[in-house]
Amino acid sequence: ASDFINKPIKDEVLSIALERAKEKLDIRRQLKEYTDDLENMVKIATEEFERKSNFQSKLIRSSNDGIVATDDEWNIVTFNPGAESIFGYSGYEIRGSDARKLYPPEISDALEKIAACAEARKAELPWREISITSKSGEAIPVRCSGAILREKNQMMGSVTFFQDLREIKRLERELLKSERLAAIGQTVAGMAHCIKNILHGFKGGSYLVDIGLDRNDTNRLKTGWQMIQRNIGRTSDLVLDLLSYSKERPPEYEPCLPNDVADDVCELLKENANEHDIEIIRAFSPDVGEVSMDPRTVYRCLLNLVSNAIDACMFDEDALDKEHCVCVRTIREEQKFIRFEVEDNGAGMSDEVRAKIFTSFFSTKGGQGTGLGLLVTMKLVDEHGGTIGVTSSLGKGTTFTIRFPYD
């Protein structure tokens, strides 16, 4: 500046110098504005990040589902209150521990398999129902899903979700119990005709017994007593079916031989089958050895099905020349299941009848059936964790298939 003041200068040079000074001042002002804007943007971005982080944290903590997140070495970093409620551990005592020791083996193995495949398109574990063991040893039913988190094909962590099904299962049991009790009420009302027939049988039998005693007629006495015995059996079956259907009975596992259980059923009903020229065929697989299951449940289910099969042959009036038979099979399946098949070549069922056989007090036996036998069978199979199915062709026969899991 002193050069311009002490020395004569040209207007053109002074103009250039002032222009450059103005540009520098403008640049400094712009830099300050940019700096202020950048600081403001950083502040806004930080506040937004904190807001989203707090939102996600509150979202995770307020979720009713259990959420467990890990780092790339399977160490637990997130364990929300939902997970605490399900597993019984506090976040303080579980964070930092290996999640694979917390999860059931099938979940740990599935997640490790997904994590090991870096090129897997789907790094997610589909929803499935499983049972987990809590800190107290309680078996808790849950729905579970999970995912492996990746960055550039490298695992950076995992997250697993658990939905507590205890309340849902409790409500399902309550609903099933209510439906069962309602069905019993409907059954009792709908079985008035069946009970009346039983009473008629008792009256007819007692009348013949009285006649036989008065006239010393042994034949009438024997016929009347047989009639009374038959109706005692029908009354007993009716009461047992009602009790079995109304009460919940968890399976009682114990070592047993399924082939022996099936053989006992066949032996019990053999005389009744022989009286009506019906052959009972026993096709037991030698692969079925000793297993752990509920033999009483298996026995009751087979007793109902084989008895029904014999009745189906007896009621097959359109095939008088047919050689009726009932085949009872046992088959050992994979994944720890025993399959029982009861096949007959009796009357068979139409599609309409087959669609109704598992409904309350529906019977194809008229006044001789209670309509509860198959309902009881299905209930017992369900309680044992098994399945029941049926195939039938009118005039050709029917096959019932039940599958029971074993330990």
Side-chain angles (χ1 to χ4, degrees):
S2 61
D3 289 341
F4 288 111
I5 294 173
N6 298 328
K7 299 177 183 177
I9 57 174
K10 296 181 179 179
D11 291 342
E12 183 179 353
V13 175
L14 179 60
S15 177
I16 293 172
L18 291 174
E19 188 66 30
R20 289 177 178 175
K22 182 180 178 182
E23 288 177 358
K24 290 180 179 180
L25 290 174
D26 288 340
I27 290 171
R28 288 179 180 177
R29 185 178 65 255
Q30 290 177 4
L31 285 174
K32 186 176 184 308
E33 289 177 355
Y34 290 155
T35 301
D36 292 342
D37 288 343
L38 183 60
E39 289 177 353
N40 189 43
M41 290 170 65
V42 169
K43 181 180 178 181
I44 293 173
T46 302
E47 290 175 350
E48 180 67 14
F49 175 79
E50 290 177 353
R51 188 185 70 81
K52 289 183 177 180
S53 178
N54 290 334
F55 174 78
Q56 292 175 355
S57 177
K58 291 179 179 179
L59 185 66
I60 292 172
R61 292 190 60 80
S62 63
S63 173
N64 290 327
D65 294 343
I67 301 175
V68 182
T70 73
D71 59 19
D72 59 341
E73 296 182 350
W74 300 100
N75 296 317
I76 296 174
V77 295
T78 299
F79 198 79
N80 76 332
E84 292 178 351
S85 174
I86 294 173
F87 287 94
Y89 295 94
S90 68
Y92 175 78
E93 62 182 317
I94 203 69
R95 286 190 184 92
S97 60
D98 193 330
R100 292 170 295 184
K101 296 180 180 179
L102 178 71
Y103 300 157
E106 64 248 56
I107 298 302
S108 299
D109 294 345
L111 287 173
E112 285 186 315
K113 186 176 180 180
I114 296 173
C117 185
E119 298 179 357
R121 293 184 178 180
K122 279 195 172 182
E124 297 180 357
L125 182 67
W127 285 101
R128 64 179 72 180
E129 282 196 20
I130 61 169
S131 178
I132 65 169
T133 303
S134 69
K135 182 180 180 181
S136 63
E138 179 187 0
I140 299 177
V142 297
R143 285 184 77 236
C144 175
S145 177
I148 300 299
L149 309 177
R150 299 186 189 279
E151 186 177 36
K152 295 181 180 179
N153 290 331
Q154 294 294 322
M155 174 179 169
M156 58 182 296
S158 71
V159 60
T160 313
F161 304 93
F162 299 91
Q163 293 181 352
D164 193 340
L165 299 181
R166 281 177 290 187
E167 182 64 15
I168 293 175
K169 295 296 183 183
R170 185 188 69 81
L171 292 174
E172 286 179 350
R173 289 193 298 270
E174 290 292 329
L175 178 61
L176 183 61
K177 185 177 180 180
S178 299
E179 290 177 346
R180 193 174 297 140
L181 291 174
I184 290 172
Q186 294 173 358
T187 302
V188 170
M191 284 192 306
H193 181 67
C194 175
I195 295 172
K196 186 174 76 171
N197 286 339
I198 292 175
L199 292 176
H200 283 317
F202 277 122
K203 287 180 180 180
S206 64
Y207 174 76
L208 290 175
V209 168
D210 289 340
I211 294 289
L213 289 173
D214 291 341
R215 300 180 183 180
N216 199 23
D217 188 337
T218 306
N219 289 332
R220 288 193 178 184
L221 185 62
K222 183 179 179 181
T223 302
W225 180 242
Q226 288 175 344
M227 188 180 296
I228 290 174
Q229 284 183 316
R230 284 197 301 271
N231 283 280
I232 289 174
R234 291 174 64 190
T235 305
S236 176
D237 290 342
L238 176 62
V239 173
L240 288 175
D241 283 345
L242 283 171
L243 288 174
S244 296
Y245 188 64
S246 62
K247 293 175 64 176
E248 291 187 15
R249 179 184 174 274
E252 299 175 1
Y253 285 81
E254 62 181 67
C256 66
L257 294 167
N259 285 349
D260 287 355
V261 176
D263 188 63
D264 289 343
V265 172
C266 294
E267 195 63 32
L268 178 67
L269 298 174
K270 179 181 178 181
E271 184 178 348
N272 182 40
N274 289 340
E275 287 179 1
H276 298 90
D277 296 323
I278 301 169
E279 182 185 5
I280 295 182
I281 301 172
R282 311 177 199 200
F284 305 151
S285 171
D287 295 334
V288 179
E290 183 177 285
V291 297
S292 180
M293 56 170 41
D294 189 339
R296 284 167 291 277
T297 293
V298 176
Y299 181 87
R300 186 67 191 279
C301 292
L302 287 177
L303 184 63
N304 282 340
L305 294 180
V306 176
S307 178
N308 284 349
I310 293 173
D311 290 341
C313 292
M314 291 167 50
F315 295 151
D316 190 15
E317 300 175 352
D318 296 334
L320 299 177
D321 297 331
K322 185 189 295 184
E323 293 183 359
H324 288 110
C325 64
V326 174
C327 182
V328 182
R329 299 187 187 89
T330 62
I331 301 102
R332 189 173 196 147
E333 295 185 340
E334 296 180 355
Q335 300 185 359
K336 293 189 173 183
F337 271 89
I338 301 294
R339 185 170 85 242
F340 299 88
E341 292 182 356
V342 179
E343 180 182 3
D344 67 73
N345 62 345
M349 293 180 285
S350 65
D351 292 341
E352 182 181 1
V353 171
R354 190 169 67 249
K356 296 178 180 178
I357 58 174
F358 291 110
T359 58
S360 58
F361 60 88
F362 176 81
S363 176
T364 59
K365 304 176 188 178
Q368 299 183 34
T370 64
L372 282 176
L374 285 176
L375 267 181
V376 171
T377 301
M378 184 171 68
K379 171 182 172 290
L380 293 174
V381 171
D382 287 342
E383 287 176 344
H384 203 291
T387 61
I388 182 169
V390 58
T391 59
S392 185
S393 179
L394 190 61
K396 295 183 179 179
T398 301
T399 301
F400 277 91
T401 302
I402 51 178
R403 298 171 68 249
F404 287 108
Y406 65 87
D407 289 338

